[in-house]
Amino acid sequence: MGLTLTEKILKNHLVEGRLVKGEEIAVRIDQTLTQDATGTMAYLEFESMGLDSVKTELSVAYIDHNTLQSGFMNADDHRFIQSAAEKFGLYFSKPGNGICHQVHLERFAVPGKTLIGSDSHTPTAGGMGMLAMGAGGLDVAVAMGGGAYYITMPKVYKINLTGKLSPFVSAKDIILEVLRRLTVKGGVGAVMEYGGEGIKSLTVPERATITNMGAELGATTSIFPSDEVTRDFLRAQNRESAFTYLSADEDAIYDKVVDINLDELEPMIACPHSPDNVVKVSELADKHIKVDQVCIGSCTNSSLTDLLKVAEILKGETVSDNVSLSISPGSRQVLSMLAQDGGFGDILGAGARFLECACGPCIGMGFSPNSGGVSLRTFNRNFEGRSGTPDGQVYLVSPETAAASALFGEITDPRKLPELRGKNNPEKRQLGRKMKVDIPETFLVDDNMIIKPKSLEDRINVETIKGPNIKGLPEAKPLGETMKNEVILKVGDNITTDHIMPAGSKILPYRSNIPHLSQYCFEVCDKSFPDRAKEKGGGIIIGGANYGQGSSREHAALVPLYLGVTAVITKSFARIHRANLINAGILPLEFEREEDYERISQGDELEIFGLQDGIDSGSFVAKVKPCDDKRGEFEVLLRCELSKRQRDILRAGGLLKYVGGR
Ligand code: MIC
Ligand code: SF4
């Protein structure tokens, strides 16, 4: 029986377990990446393991999230990360060099290798045939130390692309269509493998747009084969030696096949407040939805080819009076080439605001919309409040739709551009032809913002530098026999890590200061949560389905741990967040019967007995003492399937203690 590409790479990297779907496997990790918002924790964790060097083939520390530096905090974090990179032998990509995923794709990704990164969009490198997964910082720290990465052997879905994209329809529309069909839960437990004739016409940056936003499906990762297109990209990056052909076997068996005919695809748009709330842009045409701001960039859509298309659309035009347009190029390579090519002048001339090569508005680091404002973004997430404006209305679109809408001041189908703009300008009638931009024969390669690792001899006396903002890690307690706690919060379905531990310019500077961060925990859902948690001395959280979707930030587990949360009970969990809870020593329980979710109220008291037996058998009984007199006491059945290793981690009081870190 033939193998899928995913199975081939996993087979080559298998350290423990069997390639049986649903079973836990341990995978050898060739490369790691971190960014600064999760990196400080990851390097504190790595440091506590007492090793002198990273043991991977390559590890890179990027600075791209916290670049506002509105105080000493971020700058101190950057200095700590740089000193850790120097001490432990990592590459260090300086602030300004670009967004980790874009730079990694350009300079480091290698087909067939494994990569984990402390960022959920690490699958971007899947655009180059790499098995790249998002993980919590502690898992990345363990991998840097040479430890394996543990995942559930995934199912493999084939996304079969046929046909060819029409002008003004782009890779972003493909992934929005996949999200429309599968939803934000549709990829849980699976890898999305792309194939079919249709992939041949997609460049590596286009493929990377798709694998990047595959994170929003809840998928373990997404991957494309490595073919001539991949070779062209690597050659243009002066890295052809990294190339190998890779594809699934002809007779590979998939758990599901999703067919998408690119000929029929239209521009798509994800409406507030979820990446799967997708409709065709044409369906909104009659609604004349006014746009206040347009943001082009992020790790999803900030490649050179994306920005060159935007430049073609904006050339000789002026952005609508009521729109503020921002551009954040994905890397310094992109920005330099845009400047060289002339695209920079076209975009600037149209009245766009150039921001630095960083995450910027995507994570609420500036450029928040006005109150109630409509923001069209080429990004990957539009969760409520993430933009920094609580009632901001964020839509996710392609660069083409973003640029067209910036010109007209309302949500606009970019396919209308030749007709609308061609009336007085014959050149614009041919705009469609300029929408297929090939990658250049050679990219401008200048790695002088990447500091290379030194030899062990040269770094033996290097010390990490910790400013006052860097506080210690909260400590988990080993799991006891009984848990008796109040339900201190009950939330609904699809709670994101942006709900649990928001980001944004005011909070991100404190990513290495858990006590300070804790004041904002669940701020979007319930401002009184942190005080209540402290007053009650901790407790239990009840959640709905897909709890913890979104980012990989382990802070969404570490902060609840700091506030005394002992267990989270949900209908289901998102993959990375569940792993982060276990790593933090918090018990992730699921309702045996989903209906029981309705029976429990905030304020009820839960008593769970026989925890030690329970984690072995995977089932628990909780006695619920309601907080009101209307309901009598009752019991609910809970489950928690754990591997031997996960049981040991919980018994030890978290992953760090389990690996002997403290
Ligand atoms: C995000 O897009 O939410 C982030 C910020 O990149 C996160 C990481 C973080 O919270 O630091 C992610 O996607 O993992
Ligand atoms: Fe940065 Fe946004 Fe990408 Fe996260 S999703 S890595 S914040 S650009």
Side-chain angles (χ1 to χ4, degrees), residues 35 37-38 65 118-121 363 381 386 498 511 551-553:
Q35 39 89 338
T38 51
H65 280 60
S118 58
D119 192 281
S120 63
H121 291 105
I363 192 58
R381 289 185 175 145
R386 180 175 160 101
D498 278 306
R511 277 293 180 90
S551 106
S552 68
R553 63 188 72 142

Side-chain angles (χ1 to χ4, degrees), residues 30-91:
D30 302 320
Q31 299 189 354
T32 64
L33 70 79
T34 57
Q35 39 89 338
D36 48 319
T38 51
T40 42
M41 280 296 156
Y43 296 110
L44 284 173
E45 289 155 351
F46 184 78
E47 192 170 37
S48 79
M49 291 176 199
L51 300 172
D52 57 15
S53 298
V54 292
K55 308 280 185 229
T56 46
E57 289 175 12
L58 173 126
S59 286
V60 192
Y62 292 92
I63 306 288
D64 54 0
H65 280 60
N66 287 323
T67 53
L68 270 188
Q69 295 169 229
S70 53
F72 65 91
M73 295 80 76
N74 292 162
D76 278 8
D77 285 359
H78 299 172
R79 197 173 51 160
F80 166 66
I81 293 174
Q82 181 165 357
S83 66
E86 190 180 352
K87 184 172 164 72
F88 301 120
L90 286 91
Y91 286 83

Side-chain angles (χ1 to χ4, degrees), residues 457-483:
E457 218 172 58
D458 287 343
R459 56 187 160 83
I460 206 88
N461 294 321
V462 174
E463 290 302 332
T464 54
I465 310 168
K466 296 190 192 87
N469 190 39
I470 299 184
K471 305 276 188 248
L473 300 161
E475 215 172 312
K477 288 195 194 74
L479 199 71
E481 193 51 50
T482 314
M483 188 182 281

Side-chain angles (χ1 to χ4, degrees), residues 286-297:
D286 306 338
K287 298 203 159 74
H288 298 289
I289 301 171
K290 292 264 169 286
V291 173
D292 297 291
Q293 65 163 213
V294 175
C295 307
I296 298 178

Side-chain angles (χ1 to χ4, degrees), residues 35 64-65 99-101 119 121 212 298-300 358-359 362-363 380-381 386:
Q35 39 89 338
D64 54 0
H65 280 60
I99 305 174
C100 55
H101 308 304
D119 192 281
H121 291 105
N212 169 286
S298 92
C299 54
T300 318
C359 300
C362 178
I363 192 58
N380 46 37
R381 289 185 175 145
R386 180 175 160 101

Side-chain angles (χ1 to χ4, degrees), residues 40 85 112 207 267 270 396 420 536 623:
T40 42
R207 294 174 178 189
L396 305 173
L420 292 172
K536 307 270 179 192
K623 200 194 274 170

